[in-house]
């Protein structure tokens, strides 16, 4: 194509030289045009040879297939990259979810620990107040005993205090006893309230632990059920709805979507109920009967 364009340009130059009457320029341009024509003829000569078109077609077909192969590889590499990015995003999402769950558990434990520490601190303060009240009661009893001993010692010496002094002492002691008794009852009520609160927190913690344990058990049973269904009916994520196993899945799982189908299947199974030790039969298994592993390479190939 480059040679054809050059030859066309030389032809136009020849016309201009002829119109302008420039014989030297016209002769030089003619020589260049003849040389370009000979080069073009040399290039075009193989096209007239037999079989060259077929060889050129095969070469073009190989180039086309190579382009398609490169495009397919590029598409597969892009798809693999996108799939890897999707898996990485899924892993990141799971890691973030696990991290958030761990952070939440740590925060809950810290809150429970802080609440328990605060309750223990308040409880220790209440117990300290109770101990102080008990010590004051002991002091009052010691004062009463000391006054009694001193009164007896003074009586032996012939010294008797006036009755007003005894009455004033007894009134003061009774007033202090009443005050200490009131404070003792108040502190006991505070202690009972704190103990009830602590027991409630412990009960809530036990309940949460039980719920977590039950949730793990449910997830474990669900995972076992999914694995069993995958072995029996194939992985639903790998098979489209139009897969050849779909009718079998619909048949064996129809009881999960229809009460009438559940009643009919249960009625058919109930006809064959026998005790575990029956000589002519066996009882219905509690779950799915998983297929045994392949015993030959041919069978394994068919399963795959």
């Amino acid at each position: 194509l480059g040679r054809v364009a050059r030859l066309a340009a030389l032809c136009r130059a020849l016309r201009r030289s002829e119109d302008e009457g420039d014989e030297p320029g016209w002769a030089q341009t003619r020589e260049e045009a003849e040389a370009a024509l000979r080069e073009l003829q040399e290039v075009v000569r193989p096209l007239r040879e037999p079989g060259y078109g077929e060889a050129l077609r095969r070469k073009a077909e190989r180039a086309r297939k190579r382009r398609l192969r490169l495009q397919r590889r590029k598409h597969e590499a892009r798809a693999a990259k996108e799939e890897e990015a999707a898996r990485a995003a899924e892993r990141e999402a799971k890691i973030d979810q696990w991290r958030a769950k761990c952070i939440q558990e740590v925060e809950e434990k810290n809150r429970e620990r802080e609440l328990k520490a605060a309750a223990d601190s308040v409880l220790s303060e209440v117990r300290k107040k109770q101990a102080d009240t008990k010590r004051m009661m002991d002091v009052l009893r010691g004062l009463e005993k000391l006054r009694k001993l001193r009164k007896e010692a003074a009586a032996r010496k012939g010294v008797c205090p006036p009755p007003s002094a005894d009455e004033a002492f007894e009134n003061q002691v009774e007033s202090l006893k009443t005050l200490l008794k009131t404070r003792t009852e108040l502190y006991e009520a505070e202690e009972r309230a704190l103990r009830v609160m602590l027991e409630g927190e412990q009960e809530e913690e036990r309940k949460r632990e039980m719920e977590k344990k039950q949730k793990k058990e449910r997830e474990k049973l669900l995972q076992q059920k999914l694995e069993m269904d995958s072995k029996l009916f194939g992985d639903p994520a790998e098979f489209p709805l139009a897969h050849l196993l779909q009718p079998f899945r619909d048949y064996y799982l129809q009881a999960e979507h229809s009460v009438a189908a559940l009643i009919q299947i249960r009625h058919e199974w109930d006809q064959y109920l026998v005790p575990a030790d029956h000589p002519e039969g066996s009882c219905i298994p509690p779950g799915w009967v998983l297929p045994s592993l392949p015993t030959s390479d041919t069978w394994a190939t068919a399963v795959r």
Side-chain angles (χ1 to χ4, degrees), residues 198-256:
L198 290 175
E199 291 176 0
E201 289 295 330
Q202 293 175 357
E203 183 65 26
E204 289 292 332
E205 185 176 357
R206 286 193 295 268
K207 187 182 295 185
R208 285 193 294 269
E209 291 294 332
M210 183 62 67
E211 290 177 355
K212 289 181 181 179
K213 186 177 180 181
Q214 292 176 354
K215 183 179 179 181
K216 290 182 179 179
E217 290 294 332
R218 287 195 299 268
E219 291 177 353
K220 184 178 179 181
L221 293 176
L222 180 60
Q223 184 64 28
Q224 291 177 353
K225 182 178 182 300
L226 292 177
E227 292 178 358
M228 192 175 297
D229 291 345
S230 176
K231 292 179 180 179
L232 291 170
F233 310 114
D235 189 358
E238 297 180 359
F239 299 131
L241 294 177
H243 196 269
L244 56 90
L245 291 178
Q246 188 62 31
F248 299 95
R249 291 181 57 86
D250 294 340
Y251 175 76
Y252 285 107
L253 300 179
Q254 59 180 329
E256 296 183 1

Side-chain angles (χ1 to χ4, degrees), residues 121-136:
S121 176
V122 176
L123 186 60
S124 63
E125 290 292 333
V126 172
R127 289 178 177 174
K128 183 179 179 181
K129 292 177 181 179
Q130 289 177 341
D132 293 340
T133 304
K134 184 178 179 181
R135 186 167 58 254
M136 293 175 68

Side-chain angles (χ1 to χ4, degrees), residues 8 41 64 67 101 152 177 179-180 225 269 282 302-303:
Q41 288 174 350
R64 186 184 66 83
R67 287 194 302 271
K101 183 179 179 182
E152 290 177 355
K177 285 183 177 180
L179 178 61
L180 293 176
K225 182 178 182 300
W269 276 90
S282 60
V303 171

Side-chain angles (χ1 to χ4, degrees), residues 133 174-184:
T133 304
E174 288 297 328
S175 176
L176 291 174
K177 285 183 177 180
T178 303
L179 178 61
L180 293 176
K181 183 178 180 181
T182 304
R183 289 190 177 183
T184 302

Side-chain angles (χ1 to χ4, degrees), residues 42-57:
E42 289 294 330
V43 172
V44 175
R45 183 181 296 111
L47 297 176
R48 297 190 178 94
E49 295 179 359
Y52 185 81
E54 182 65 21
L56 192 61
R57 188 191 62 79

Side-chain angles (χ1 to χ4, degrees), residues 49-265:
E49 295 179 359
Y52 185 81
E54 182 65 21
L56 192 61
R57 188 191 62 79
R58 290 196 299 270
K59 184 177 180 181
E61 182 66 19
R62 286 196 299 270
R64 186 184 66 83
K65 290 182 178 179
R66 183 172 178 274
R67 287 194 302 271
L68 292 176
R69 187 165 57 253
L70 292 176
Q71 290 177 359
R72 185 171 61 252
R73 290 179 180 175
K74 186 177 180 180
H75 178 72
E76 291 176 354
R78 188 187 306 112
K81 187 176 180 180
E82 292 176 355
E83 184 178 359
E84 180 63 25
R87 286 198 297 267
E90 184 178 359
R91 288 195 298 268
E92 289 293 334
K94 290 183 179 179
I95 291 173
D96 292 340
Q97 184 179 2
W98 173 79
R99 185 184 296 113
K101 183 179 179 182
C102 292
I103 293 173
Q104 183 180 2
E105 291 179 355
V106 171
E107 290 178 352
E108 289 180 357
K109 289 182 179 179
N110 289 335
R111 284 196 298 269
E112 292 174 0
R113 190 181 301 110
E114 291 174 358
L115 181 61
K116 186 176 180 181
D120 291 341
S121 176
V122 176
L123 186 60
S124 63
E125 290 292 333
V126 172
R127 289 178 177 174
K128 183 179 179 181
K129 292 177 181 179
Q130 289 177 341
D132 293 340
T133 304
K134 184 178 179 181
R135 186 167 58 254
M136 293 175 68
M137 291 291 292
D138 294 338
V139 170
L140 285 179
R141 284 193 292 269
L143 287 174
E144 289 179 340
K145 186 176 180 180
L146 179 61
R147 189 176 188 283
K148 181 180 179 181
L149 292 176
R150 287 185 176 181
K151 186 178 178 180
E152 290 177 355
R156 285 195 295 270
K157 294 180 181 179
V159 179
C160 295
S164 59
D166 294 337
E167 184 178 356
F169 179 79
E170 291 177 0
N171 291 336
Q172 189 69 22
V173 170
E174 288 297 328
S175 176
L176 291 174
K177 285 183 177 180
T178 303
L179 178 61
L180 293 176
K181 183 178 180 181
T182 304
R183 289 190 177 183
T184 302
E185 293 175 355
L186 178 61
Y187 297 153
E188 289 177 355
E190 290 182 4
E191 183 181 6
R192 287 194 299 270
L194 288 173
R195 289 189 180 278
V196 169
M197 185 177 67
L198 290 175
E199 291 176 0
E201 289 295 330
Q202 293 175 357
E203 183 65 26
E204 289 292 332
E205 185 176 357
R206 286 193 295 268
K207 187 182 295 185
R208 285 193 294 269
E209 291 294 332
M210 183 62 67
E211 290 177 355
K212 289 181 181 179
K213 186 177 180 181
Q214 292 176 354
K215 183 179 179 181
K216 290 182 179 179
E217 290 294 332
R218 287 195 299 268
E219 291 177 353
K220 184 178 179 181
L221 293 176
L222 180 60
Q223 184 64 28
Q224 291 177 353
K225 182 178 182 300
L226 292 177
E227 292 178 358
M228 192 175 297
D229 291 345
S230 176
K231 292 179 180 179
L232 291 170
F233 310 114
D235 189 358
E238 297 180 359
F239 299 131
L241 294 177
H243 196 269
L244 56 90
L245 291 178
Q246 188 62 31
F248 299 95
R249 291 181 57 86
D250 294 340
Y251 175 76
Y252 285 107
L253 300 179
Q254 59 180 329
E256 296 183 1
H257 308 286
S258 174
V259 178
L262 174 62
I263 296 175
Q264 178 64 26
I265 293 173

Side-chain angles (χ1 to χ4, degrees), residues 21-39:
D22 184 9
E23 293 183 2
W26 183 85
Q28 184 179 358
T29 305
R30 179 182 177 184
E31 292 178 359
E32 293 178 0
E34 289 177 352
L37 180 61
R38 286 192 297 269
E39 291 179 2

